[in-house]
Each structure stands twice: as C-alpha cells, then as structure tokens.
Amino acid sequence: MGRGDLTDEQWAVLEPLLPKGSKAGRPPVWPRRQLIDGIRFRVRTGVPWRDVPADHGPWSRVYDLFRRWQRNGT
C-alpha cells in the first residue's frame, strides 16, 4: 500500500457506497480499490493519465472508470 492509498478503514466506509456491477459474467481483472487508488493518485498529483503508475492498473482502465463515474454522477 502506497502513501496515498486508501487505508482498510477508509475502504470499509467507501465500498458500500459504490455502485454495484450490473453485468453478470467474468469477474473484473483489476480490483476496484486498486483503480480508485489510481484515480486518487492522478487527481492528487495532476500527472497525465498515461503517467499513472502501473501498480494501480492500466492507465486506460483507471481513466475509463473515472470517466464512466463522472458521466453518470457517481
């Protein structure tokens, strides 16, 4: 866990508030917590999306989650 990543206590509060996936099928490859930490890293540092560290998942997946939630008001 990195310096700016969510703690277990913070995640326990945040997780129930997030939208549940509506599609049945294959489980996600990247854990949601990891992607959210990537979003938080990008917002905190202001780096371009392509410079989000790979340990947060692929930058395109982090960006996709951010944009999807931005568009639907999450």
Side-chain angles (χ1 to χ4, degrees):
M1 179 167 38
R3 187 179 75 176
D5 293 349
L6 292 169
T7 65
D8 292 336
E9 294 80 25
Q10 291 170 325
W11 180 246
V13 172
L14 179 62
E15 186 177 26
L17 303 174
L18 298 174
K20 304 292 183 230
S22 59
K23 293 183 180 178
R26 194 169 33 172
V29 175
W30 300 97
R32 192 176 278 185
R33 181 176 179 172
Q34 186 176 7
L35 298 173
I36 291 172
D37 284 336
I39 293 170
R40 295 179 70 240
F41 176 85
R42 196 282 179 180
V43 170
R44 184 175 67 250
T45 62
V47 300
W49 284 105
R50 290 180 184 259
D51 292 339
V52 172
D55 59 332
H56 295 299
W59 74 267
S60 57
R61 184 66 185 104
V62 174
Y63 175 74
D64 177 56
L65 181 66
F66 174 79
R67 287 293 291 157
R68 191 166 4 115
W69 283 355
Q70 184 183 45
R71 287 183 184 129
N72 72 16
T74 301

